[in-house]
Amino acid sequence: MNNQQRTVFQNPYRWTGIAAILLLALCSTGAWAVEPLTVNGNRILAGGEVRSLAGPSFFWSNTGWGAERFYNEGAVSWVKSDWNANLVRASLGVDGEGGYLEDPQGNKSRVVALVEAAIANDVYVIIDWHTHHGEDNTAEAVAFFEEMAQAYGHHDNVIYEIYNEPLQVSWSNVIKPYAETVISAIRAIDPDNLIVVGTPSWSQDVDAASWDPIQGHANIAYTLHFYAGTHTQYLRDKAQTALNNGIALFVTEWGTVNADGDGGVAQGETQNWMDFLEANHISHANWALNDKEEGASALVPGASANGGWDQSQLTESGRLVRDIVRGWDGGGSSSSSSSSSSSSSSSSSSSSSSSSSSSGGSGGMGCDPGSADVWSSGFVLNNVSVNNGGNSDVSSWQVSLEFPQPIQLANGWNGDFNLSGDGRILTVADIGWNGYLQPGQSTSFGLQGNYSGNFLMPECTVD
């Protein structure tokens, strides 16, 4: 016994060294609690393997808007443990009453609370510059993201979403220059965490970004938003085009209801979207973890702010989203950048095909109205194509869609739209980046509108 005791005291650093090794091992394990996200072609990888994430997006952080109370560790811990979420989104409300521009400290404190809660709970967190007018406040965005990168850029949990939903503005002339400025500021501090960039038309025109992607920076993905009650196969087609063109997509916001955040749950179309996201390994955050009285909210009014929500405290949307996130298998078998085609089909009540083939114009140019998704008073032309069937290059194009009945134009993409006073003739011109077509090349645009009576397909002619 005495010899053993002497041996122990003759080596006083032995157990200290072992303890240090154990402590280092524990710290190393914590450092890899989430794996670094990287972009390879049109795929986002976690730890070098194809993977997609799932979880909820928190509502606007604006002071006085009612969602502030959910920005806490209890809510994050609950969605991790009960929903199996591995992703949350902190939506820093920039504009409007009570937003960051008006109350920077209040809004920033909520985002910081959510970021630190996510890190503590080993989940990924999107820091979202939640605005429709990012280009109007570039300096403020740069300063904010520099601060976030300095504070949290060494954590693999952090994802920067630098522009939530641009409006119908030019990708190449407005959004891309803004994004390049903010990305450069972040990369000067944080060289590798994932950055997600918003796209035109409320982050729907991902195909526009895919034709002119950001160059010179690694680990860049592009934002796709959808609401299942409004956005159907035509938007998945645009997303597939973007994937085929080689860019990675991240659905930082989606809803089970209509695009205005209200209405009933679109069960079938939600499933179509989930099939598409799963097939293409696309991560997603559902809008919104909030108790506002509207269809998109996951919680009923007055629900606890700190988690612990049973089924009675979840809305119809909340119950569906919880089931989706709990069952989400984000793994993949390959880290290649190959594209997957969606097997999803539109859930529109009826579908009309084009009754006219391509109509020629001067120089062999032609156009085809494609197909339409039609419902009671609305329609979407999914893929109106413009093709160069001639023998020489063209630098611009313009086509006319002549409808048998008057229409009202609600939204359009990849074109400059002008509807006649009687609502029957829609003139569409290129928007610069898609104007140049070599012989045999084609491009496409789409639109959403409303009608009265019976919907009939338009004739498409080249002007």
Side-chain angles (χ1 to χ4, degrees):
M1 285 292 295
N2 288 339
N3 287 337
Q4 290 175 335
Q5 288 175 345
R6 279 196 300 271
T7 301
V8 170
F9 286 108
Q10 286 172 353
N11 296 277
Y13 297 108
R14 179 185 178 200
W15 299 108
T16 303
I18 292 172
I21 292 170
L22 290 173
L23 179 61
L24 179 61
L26 289 171
C27 291
S28 299
T29 301
W32 292 96
V34 299
E35 296 173 306
L37 300 178
T38 56
V39 173
N40 181 17
N42 64 6
R43 295 286 187 258
I44 296 174
L45 314 180
E49 297 294 329
V50 174
R51 187 182 176 196
S52 58
L53 313 172
S57 171
F58 286 63
F59 195 76
W60 298 75
S61 68
N62 297 52
T63 303
W65 285 27
E68 307 96 309
R69 65 195 188 95
F70 295 103
Y71 279 74
N72 64 76
E73 197 276 337
V76 174
S77 176
W78 181 259
V79 296
K80 180 190 177 181
S81 63
D82 186 65
W83 294 27
N84 294 336
N86 52 17
L87 172 72
V88 294
R89 180 186 189 227
S91 304
L92 180 81
V94 177
D95 313 293
E97 185 176 355
Y100 177 77
L101 299 179
E102 184 178 290
D103 179 17
Q105 292 307 314
N107 283 274
K108 185 166 61 178
S109 68
R110 292 172 203 122
V111 169
V112 166
L114 213 63
V115 171
E116 293 185 351
I119 293 170
N121 282 274
D122 300 328
V123 300
Y124 295 92
V125 57
I126 301 171
I127 302 176
D128 163 34
W129 188 251
H130 203 77
T131 180
H132 300 301
H133 309 283
E135 65 276 8
D136 294 340
N137 300 290
T138 304
E140 290 80 1
V142 165
F144 172 77
F145 281 110
E146 284 178 335
E147 184 176 353
M148 293 297 103
Q150 192 69 51
Y152 302 109
H154 57 290
H155 292 283
D156 292 328
N157 311 68
V158 170
I159 301 165
Y160 308 100
E161 182 181 2
I162 62 174
Y163 197 160
N164 165 50
E165 285 186 349
L167 300 181
Q168 291 175 298
V169 295
S170 168
W171 162 257
S172 296
N173 297 326
V174 178
I175 303 169
K176 185 180 178 184
Y178 160 87
E180 289 172 331
T181 299
V182 180
I183 290 169
S184 294
I186 293 172
R187 285 292 181 249
I189 301 167
D190 179 352
D192 48 21
N193 276 27
L194 182 66
I195 298 175
V196 187
V197 182
T199 55
S201 300
W202 300 274
S203 287
Q204 296 171 46
D205 290 350
V206 289
D207 52 340
S210 74
W211 294 111
D212 183 21
I214 291 167
Q215 304 290 342
H217 296 284
N219 296 340
I220 305 297
Y222 298 82
T223 308
L224 172 65
H225 286 179
F226 69 85
Y227 281 79
T230 302
H231 305 123
T232 56
Q233 185 62 40
Y234 78 93
L235 187 51
R236 290 190 289 276
D237 291 342
K238 290 164 72 66
Q240 191 64 58
T241 295
L243 292 170
N244 292 346
N245 286 342
I247 66 171
L249 303 181
F250 200 124
V251 176
T252 60
E253 179 181 321
W254 71 275
T256 64
V257 296
N258 298 333
D260 63 359
D262 213 349
V265 171
Q267 297 273 353
E269 199 58 41
T270 294
Q271 186 59 55
N272 288 340
W273 273 108
M274 293 304 107
D275 291 344
F276 178 82
L277 300 186
E278 184 176 21
N280 290 284
H281 308 290
I282 298 175
S283 299
H284 56 92
N286 173 260
W287 187 266
L289 195 70
N290 190 30
D291 67 343
K292 181 180 178 182
E293 195 166 354
E294 65 177 10
S297 294
L299 306 173
V300 300
S304 164
N306 302 301
W309 308 301
D310 60 24
Q311 292 289 305
S312 68
Q313 293 190 73
L314 300 177
T315 63
E316 180 185 1
S317 180
R319 291 190 293 273
L320 176 59
V321 171
R322 175 180 178 270
D323 288 345
I324 289 170
V325 174
R326 280 178 63 87
W328 193 255
D329 180 10
S333 58
S334 172
S335 60
S336 70
S337 59
S338 61
S339 300
S340 299
S341 297
S342 169
S343 60
S344 302
S345 60
S346 172
S347 65
S348 301
S349 58
S350 64
S351 180
S352 301
S353 298
S354 170
S355 59
S356 63
S357 59
S358 300
S359 294
S362 60
M365 292 291 292
C367 68
D368 190 319
S371 62
D373 292 329
V374 184
W375 57 97
S376 59
S377 62
F379 71 94
V380 170
L381 290 183
N382 299 304
N383 191 27
V384 184
S385 64
V386 181
N387 60 82
N388 182 3
N391 298 317
S392 59
D393 298 356
V394 298
S395 59
S396 63
W397 52 263
Q398 180 173 294
V399 301
S400 292
L401 294 169
E402 185 173 354
F403 290 83
Q405 69 285 315
I407 69 160
Q408 299 84 44
L409 181 65
N411 187 20
W413 49 93
N414 294 350
D416 183 11
F417 296 81
N418 184 24
L419 184 63
S420 64
D422 63 2
R424 292 178 181 271
I425 298 178
L426 180 64
T427 303
V428 186
D430 68 86
I431 51 175
W433 63 264
N434 60 352
Y436 180 78
L437 297 175
Q438 295 179 335
Q441 287 188 328
S442 64
T443 188
S444 64
F445 64 87
L447 62 121
Q448 181 176 350
N450 298 304
Y451 71 98
S452 299
N454 295 321
F455 180 82
L456 297 173
M457 288 292 291
E459 295 283 340
C460 186
T461 57
V462 178
D463 296 341

